[in-house]
Amino acid sequence: MAEASAIERIREEVEGLENTKVEELDLDDILLKEISPNIKSELEKYSGLKMLSLHGCGLESLNNLPNLPELTHLILSANNLSGKDLIPLLNYKQLEVLVLTQNHIKDPEELNTITSLNLKELDLFEYDEKSNVNYREKIFSMFKGLEIVDYMDKSGNMIDDEEGGDDEDYRGDDDDEVDERDDDEDYDCLLYTSD
């Protein structure tokens, strides 16, 4: 049922658009648990996709992640993923921003599986800081090009949305945007296209 709903929703949102023009796709809160081969195939039609949000999908695995060679921003917050589940992310060579908040990552060492990624920003809010006070320092040392961890730079300076530039739209922090929406409308899947 979830698979059919996800595919139907994607098709509705992109109807009439050229596949190559779709750059951002938001599939938040569609309960999937996993990405089926059919959902993978559907997503791979949008080879120019730069941002994919799978927030709150209940994902327990990243098997069958779609091949999206242009993907730079991936939001996987509020799922059921641990470090061992992240290995498929290594296929995303262009990935710069990864949001893993509200998952089952208990220790920075769990991220060892993806340290070869050229990430610029990694968000782990909801990580249990009490268990490792210096976790940001540890994460910065693990990823060579990393500039921001949980909205803070290497010096511990808070990076706000204005300084973060375009990344603010990709972090999954759309509370302000949601508040402005008409409650009667359905926003399970948002679509963004290039001009």
Side-chain angles (χ1 to χ4, degrees):
M1 183 79 153
E3 176 185 290
S5 296
I7 291 172
E8 179 182 342
R9 186 69 180 168
I10 294 167
R11 289 177 180 167
E12 285 174 7
E13 293 298 324
V14 300
E15 187 175 353
L17 299 172
E18 292 179 42
N19 291 357
T20 57
K21 296 288 187 185
V22 179
E23 291 187 349
E24 303 176 22
L25 191 57
D26 183 335
L27 297 175
D28 291 354
D29 301 317
I30 296 176
L31 295 177
L32 300 173
K33 291 194 178 183
E34 67 180 3
I35 299 168
S36 71
N38 290 333
I39 293 172
K40 174 184 177 180
S41 177
E42 188 68 26
L43 288 170
E44 286 178 344
K45 292 177 182 178
Y46 313 104
S47 59
L49 204 62
K50 295 182 187 314
M51 192 285 296
L52 176 62
S53 182
L54 296 165
H55 167 87
C57 293
L59 291 173
E60 298 172 352
S61 164
L62 294 179
N63 293 335
N64 289 323
L65 272 178
N67 179 21
L68 300 168
E70 302 297 321
L71 195 71
T72 59
H73 294 70
L74 181 59
I75 299 172
L76 294 170
S77 51
N79 283 293
N80 297 309
L81 302 170
S82 64
K84 66 179 174 19
D85 299 316
L86 304 179
I87 293 172
L89 297 178
L90 296 174
N91 293 322
Y92 294 131
K93 305 297 184 198
Q94 304 299 320
L95 194 62
E96 296 177 356
V97 177
L98 178 60
V99 180
L100 293 171
T101 60
Q102 299 175 322
N103 275 289
H104 299 292
I105 297 170
K106 304 291 184 209
D107 188 289
E109 295 296 324
E110 289 186 60
L111 301 174
N112 275 333
T113 57
I114 59 167
T115 55
S116 64
L117 290 173
N118 293 316
L119 296 177
K120 291 182 180 177
E121 182 174 345
L122 178 62
D123 290 336
L124 292 169
F125 278 129
E126 306 297 324
Y127 171 76
D128 185 7
E129 295 181 45
K130 296 173 190 158
S131 66
N132 189 346
V133 178
N134 298 319
Y135 83 98
R136 280 188 188 92
E137 290 175 20
K138 174 73 173 169
I139 292 170
F140 278 122
S141 71
M142 293 168 64
F143 292 86
K144 291 182 181 177
L146 197 61
E147 299 171 6
I148 301 170
V149 173
D150 292 343
Y151 300 99
M152 295 183 93
D153 65 16
K154 289 182 181 182
S155 300
N157 299 314
M158 189 64 125
I159 306 298
D160 62 22
D161 285 344
E162 289 178 20
E163 292 176 39
D166 292 337
D167 294 345
E168 68 189 48
D169 295 333
Y170 299 127
R171 289 184 177 137
D173 294 341
D174 55 359
D175 292 338
D176 294 336
E177 186 177 330
V178 171
D179 292 341
E180 296 171 8
R181 294 180 181 151
D182 183 335
D183 291 335
D184 296 333
E185 294 187 42
D186 181 8
Y187 287 97
D188 286 340
C189 179
L190 299 177
L191 172 75
Y192 304 89
T193 61
S194 62
D195 294 331

